[in-house]
Amino acid sequence: MSTLAPPPLLSALPLAPPGEGLSAEMLALLFERARPLVDALFAQVNDGVTVQAPDLSLCFVNPAAVRLLGATSEQEALHLGGASVFGRHELLDASGNPLSHEALPGRQVLAGQSVSERVLRFRDKRTGQERWSRVSSAPVRDSRGQVVYAVNVFRDVTEVMRTQERLSLLAETGELLTASLDLDSTLIATARLLVPRLADWCAVELVEGSSPSRQVAAIHSDPAKVELVRRMRELYPSDPHAHGGTAYVLRTGLSAHAPDITDDMMVASAKDTEHLRLIRELGLRSLIIVPLNARGRTLGTLSVATAESARRLETDELQLVEELARRAALAVDNARLYAEAKRAQARHEVALEAGRMGAWEWDIQAGRVTWAPELERIHGIPEGSFDGTFEAYQLDMHPEDRERVLTSIQRVVARQEPEHHVQYRIILPDGRVRWVEAHGRLTLDDQGRPARLTGVCTDITERLTLEEDARRLVREQAARAEAERARQHTAELLENLKKAQDELALRAQELARSNADLEQFAYVASHDLQEPLRMVASYVQLLSRRYKGKLDADADEFIHYAVDGANRMQALINDLLAYSRVGTRGKEPQPVSLEKCAARALSHLRLAQEETGAELTVEPLPWVKGDETQLAQLLQNLVGNALKFRGDKPPRIRVSATRQDDTVTVSVEDNGIGIEPQYYERIFAIFQRLHGKEEYPGTGIGLSICKKIVERHGGRIWVESTPGQGSTFRFTLTAAQPPTPSA
Ligand code: ADP
């Protein structure tokens, strides 16, 4: 007994063309009969699967669907159907807007609309918890094209959607916070981003110096609530020593998280009955307060809370708010540093310049310069030593600047420009360089001729340094913000990448599983069908032997059809079994001799070879890595087809192989009827045949078995052909070393 498929004898399953499908009653019956199989098949599937009748009732739910619908048993889910879900849940679209039930894909399909898939959000009316589902639906139609069932598939995508939402919140706030140094408006915009995407409420408080904290932003979807909170703060200012709330977070620098706020908690935090009334009116359900920590100090707090939506803020949300607060704190710290630097610079300027200013006057007509003593100090010369000449003035000046100063003065005098303004360097006796700025004003005498240039000189060295410092600070600030943006961007990219990889791995896993499920199904179905079929076959054969020629001609003909049908069904089941076994029964690859495989294959085909008078050549074949039984089956199917699809001439068939590097390409060449190029791909699919069973018998499974075997061995199979002249089937395998004779 060999495990090889018998030569394909029987024809393919006739697949009903559209329009000739089953009636609604037949469909219902078929569905009922197939229930054990359907149940078994969908029991393992993680997606929820339901079958829905036109009256919207459910007639099938798999265990995943029971779970996702929030029912406790299959019975409950079937009995209550959609009503149970929608009594408890509010239906929203992916971004949280309310939706009507008509938008459910199942209902759309049952209403005859086109097949659709969408992401929906279900909010539990009691707990406020939200789950996202990707729901798709497909119709099952009867022979008249009427939709008899909708098959709904839904998958819980809550985690994916949450991660997406989280990432986009982080990205958007990150951008806001690094874009500007205007603190208050940035924090308000940030708070606005979080409502209502994360919570119903968001507030930011900042500590400034020793004064009590200041609420910078308070955002709520309902302005009346903002007013309520303002009144509460006014009537009941927060106690800095309180054991909870923002005061506690400010004091300790630790987060506070109250996922479920109970009435007891409200009572405990109220200062009197009026306070309690206001707290109850506010109706907070869940609260998170996190500190804005930067460089070891707590600069303020970021609070988010839910009320109307009844949403529960979980640990995930706490982590997200903490991350947002980390970024906000960095922005606050940066803005403060910047403001401080600006203030310090302004203070310095005033203080320094007061002591570093000296007046001077140049009597143009007399050609004399008078200096205040401060100017001598600025120039670093002993008091009273300035002799009033222009040369003496220029003496300490940096040689590169002398020309410029002179030109400026000459221009003012010549053109009678009212203002003289120039900056120049002086070199002190100890070699240090200082910057001086001169401002002057021209006055004219009675005849309108330039009389005097009067002004002040200021030592601006410190100011220039400070300005340079401030510019550097701003540059550094920008670079820090840029680096932070880049870091966030990279982190997000990495996270996205990882998500995509996870998704891919998941898909691959699912695919592998559903393939395995299908294989298992085909195996079980064909295996279990064998037994009843054997019975049918042996009884019709008995009928045929006993009563052939004893009844009338019609009876003989009917018996003949029954025998033929049973035979064909047996061949089909055998082939199906062989197909499903390729995946499940294959052995680990090891070095095998292709020549031995070919000999095994040909021994099963000897009879057909003799009958057809075929000339069969097998050239020397190499060793390859593989499963000997499967490779023999592969060759048997290909050579068997070459014998079957012969033309008028006696068949000439040649099996040969070439090798390049590690790849062995095997060819099975015939001179048969050939194949039109448009069928090159199709013939490898299961049940695909190009001829009727009267012309050439077969089940249409042989080549799909070949393809499965080759692919399982990591190779590829294809055909080349000239119609009317012959075909060559080729496939690749991996070469192997033959075992050494001693082994
Ligand atoms: P079956 O042989 O049972 O019909 P196969 O899967 O083995 O199924 O082949 C699918 C189809 O491919 C065949 O029906 C035939 O039309 C075509 N075919 C396969 N092998 C050959 C060949 N050597 N020459 C011509 N046609 C072929």
Side-chain angles (χ1 to χ4, degrees):
M1 188 26 231
S2 107
T3 53
L4 301 187
L9 278 173
L10 306 166
S11 90
L13 270 184
L15 291 176
E20 289 179 25
L22 300 171
S23 67
E25 294 70 30
M26 285 294 284
L27 275 171
L29 193 68
L30 188 70
F31 180 55
E32 211 31 60
R33 289 278 161 86
R35 264 310 278 278
L37 261 179
V38 176
D39 281 347
L41 209 58
F42 288 111
Q44 313 296 331
V45 176
N46 266 336
D47 291 351
V49 180
T50 65
V51 177
Q52 195 174 13
D55 66 359
L56 306 183
S57 69
L58 297 180
C59 32
F60 170 77
V61 289
N62 73 340
V66 173
R67 187 161 32 80
L68 291 171
L69 291 173
T72 49
S73 68
E74 187 188 327
Q75 266 57 41
E76 188 193 347
L78 285 175
H79 179 62
L80 296 171
S84 77
V85 186
F86 298 114
R88 279 208 307 265
H89 291 87
E90 204 175 330
L91 181 64
L92 310 169
D93 69 10
S95 34
N97 305 310
L99 265 190
S100 107
H101 293 172
E102 304 312 312
L104 288 165
R107 297 207 187 196
Q108 291 186 336
V109 160
L110 287 172
Q113 289 162 24
S114 63
V115 186
S116 58
E117 174 184 278
R118 57 187 310 176
V119 173
L120 300 172
R121 204 149 134 176
F122 295 85
R123 177 186 290 156
D124 190 312
K125 288 181 186 160
R126 271 176 311 124
T127 63
Q129 256 179 356
E130 289 181 352
R131 313 241 15 126
W132 277 260
S133 272
R134 179 172 298 136
V135 186
S136 63
S137 188
V140 177
R141 295 177 194 275
D142 66 7
S143 48
R144 290 174 303 139
Q146 293 292 320
V147 179
V148 219
Y149 298 112
V151 179
N152 305 314
V153 178
F154 41 102
R155 166 175 305 188
D156 191 308
V157 289
T158 308
E159 285 323 310
V160 177
M161 296 300 285
R162 284 243 168 90
T163 313
Q164 249 173 32
E165 178 72 9
R166 210 183 138 110
L167 276 177
S168 66
L169 261 186
L170 278 177
E172 285 168 52
T173 47
E175 206 141 284
L176 262 181
L177 287 169
T178 44
S180 145
L181 284 170
D182 176 8
L183 197 54
D184 284 18
S185 59
T186 311
L187 289 174
I188 292 173
T190 307
R192 201 161 274 143
L193 264 186
L194 307 187
V195 176
R197 279 158 71 181
L198 183 69
D200 303 328
W201 258 108
C202 180
V204 182
E205 297 206 10
L206 290 184
V207 219
E208 276 146 0
S210 54
S211 45
S213 62
R214 175 173 72 93
Q215 191 164 60
V216 180
I219 306 294
H220 191 283
S221 27
D222 177 5
K225 289 285 175 88
V226 180
E227 177 53 28
L228 180 66
V229 171
R230 201 194 54 72
R231 225 174 55 235
M232 272 172 76
R233 281 174 67 90
E234 215 171 74
L235 291 174
Y236 303 94
S238 88
D239 168 10
H241 304 295
H243 289 301
T246 45
Y248 167 82
V249 175
L250 280 176
R251 222 173 45 237
T252 58
L254 300 172
S255 306
H257 180 199
D260 300 293
I261 297 179
T262 59
D263 195 58
D264 287 348
M265 289 159 87
M266 296 190 194
V267 173
S269 67
K271 293 185 177 126
D272 56 37
T273 46
E274 173 60 9
H275 195 200
L276 181 59
R277 197 186 62 74
L278 292 175
I279 293 179
R280 283 192 175 132
E281 191 179 332
L282 204 58
L284 295 190
R285 296 286 294 261
S286 203
L287 172 72
I288 288 174
I289 310 176
V290 298
L292 301 177
N293 290 338
R295 290 188 298 148
R297 280 182 313 146
T298 302
L299 310 177
T301 57
L302 171 66
S303 318
V304 296
T306 60
E308 295 72 17
S309 71
R311 240 172 97 180
R312 189 169 192 273
L313 297 170
E314 316 272 353
T315 323
D316 270 358
E317 275 87 35
L318 174 65
Q319 281 165 1
L320 175 61
V321 179
E322 278 176 342
E323 177 60 27
L324 290 173
R326 200 183 63 73
R327 292 169 189 214
L330 192 72
V332 172
D333 194 37
N334 275 346
R336 287 198 174 158
L337 274 177
Y338 182 72
E340 242 162 57
K342 269 270 193 239
R343 269 200 303 277
Q345 175 189 346
R347 270 202 308 275
H348 260 80
E349 271 169 24
V350 175
L352 283 170
E353 284 173 8
R356 298 198 164 274
M357 227 181 228
W360 50 266
E361 187 177 74
W362 179 34
D363 184 334
I364 298 169
Q365 282 152 24
R368 271 199 65 80
V369 184
T370 331
W371 271 16
E374 289 85 4
L375 249 183
E376 287 170 324
R377 248 201 325 277
I378 289 174
H379 273 240
I381 53 176
E383 211 173 308
S385 65
F386 181 62
D387 69 0
T389 60
F390 196 77
E391 291 70 33
Y393 169 48
Q394 282 207 316
L395 205 60
D396 314 316
M397 207 175 281
H398 196 295
E400 283 173 16
D401 295 347
R402 284 181 193 154
E403 187 67 28
R404 200 158 41 81
V405 174
L406 189 65
T407 323
S408 168
I409 294 176
Q410 282 171 344
R411 203 178 47 226
V412 172
V413 174
R415 300 200 201 148
Q416 300 194 1
E417 282 177 9
E419 296 275 351
H420 160 68
H421 178 215
V422 71
Q423 290 181 351
Y424 57 88
R425 284 164 291 179
I426 50 171
I427 301 171
L428 298 184
D430 62 9
R432 278 182 302 144
V433 173
R434 298 198 73 83
W435 276 93
V436 172
E437 183 177 58
H439 269 288
R441 211 164 238 295
L442 185 70
T443 31
L444 305 177
D445 65 8
D446 305 341
Q447 281 97 51
R449 286 173 309 174
R452 269 185 310 278
L453 194 58
T454 324
V456 284
C457 276
T458 316
D459 182 338
I460 57 166
T461 316
E462 266 78 22
R463 191 172 91 204
L464 288 182
T465 327
L466 271 174
E467 263 172 25
E468 183 46 41
D469 280 355
R471 271 196 295 273
R472 210 190 51 239
L473 198 75
V474 173
R475 273 199 306 272
E476 278 172 12
Q477 180 89 17
R480 254 165 94 180
E482 187 49 44
E484 171 67 4
R485 257 203 299 273
R487 194 190 63 75
Q488 279 170 18
H489 190 64
T490 323
E492 276 150 26
L493 279 179
L494 279 175
E495 206 164 327
N496 276 337
L497 195 70
K498 189 170 164 323
K499 230 171 54 197
Q501 276 173 342
D502 289 352
E503 181 89 340
L504 210 66
L506 205 73
R507 287 268 153 83
Q509 225 177 26
E510 272 170 14
L511 209 65
R513 208 191 49 219
S514 72
N515 268 342
D517 283 351
L518 273 178
E519 242 163 43
Q520 189 64 19
F521 171 63
Y523 179 76
V524 171
S526 37
H527 184 266
D528 289 2
L529 283 172
Q530 264 184 330
E531 157 58 24
L533 188 62
R534 252 199 298 276
M535 182 126 99
V536 174
S538 38
Y539 277 100
V540 286
Q541 273 155 12
L542 196 66
L543 263 180
S544 149
R545 278 204 302 280
R546 269 210 201 148
Y547 297 103
K548 196 162 179 179
K550 296 196 181 139
L551 307 168
D552 61 7
D554 271 357
D556 279 356
E557 195 184 325
F558 295 163
I559 290 174
H560 166 74
Y561 285 145
V563 172
D564 183 47
N567 283 342
R568 270 193 291 145
M569 190 155 340
Q570 246 164 354
L572 188 65
I573 286 174
N574 276 330
D575 283 359
L576 262 177
L577 261 175
Y579 180 77
S580 64
R581 276 176 180 148
V582 174
T584 54
R585 297 283 171 89
K587 291 199 215 63
E588 278 307 299
Q590 45 193 339
V592 293
S593 155
L594 261 184
E595 274 178 15
K596 193 167 160 207
C597 299
R600 245 175 103 170
L602 297 192
S603 72
H604 292 276
L605 295 168
R606 191 128 311 137
L607 199 68
Q609 187 194 346
E610 280 162 14
E611 272 174 15
T612 55
E615 181 191 311
L616 236 158
T617 325
V618 179
E619 310 226 317
L621 299 174
W623 282 68
V624 294
K625 275 196 206 112
D627 172 335
E628 188 176 305
T629 310
Q630 290 192 345
L631 293 182
Q633 175 162 24
L634 167 63
L635 285 169
Q636 180 181 338
N637 287 1
L638 291 180
V639 177
N641 276 350
L643 288 168
K644 180 163 66 170
F645 297 103
R646 63 185 176 273
D648 304 329
K649 296 165 276 180
R652 249 185 309 109
I653 302 167
R654 194 171 77 105
V655 181
S656 60
T658 57
R659 176 173 170 173
Q660 191 179 18
D661 302 328
D662 255 1
T663 306
V664 172
T665 305
V666 183
S667 308
V668 178
E669 196 181 332
D670 66 43
N671 61 343
I673 58 171
I675 301 164
E676 303 272 351
Q678 69 265 36
Y679 302 122
Y680 284 0
E681 296 275 342
R682 218 171 88 183
I683 51 172
F684 291 100
I686 194 160
F687 300 137
Q688 292 295 335
R689 320 196 61 234
L690 307 180
H691 310 278
K693 71 172 159 68
E694 288 75 23
E695 242 181 308
Y696 297 97
T699 59
I701 301 180
L703 284 181
S704 46
I705 293 182
C706 294
K707 185 164 159 60
K708 212 169 165 192
I709 292 177
V710 172
E711 284 175 356
R712 202 183 147 250
H713 281 74
R716 168 172 102 69
I717 183 165
W718 70 100
V719 66
E720 290 153 16
S721 171
T722 313
Q725 297 195 23
S727 322
T728 305
F729 282 82
R730 294 187 209 279
F731 57 89
T732 58
L733 293 170
T734 309
Q737 279 294 336
T740 48
S742 62

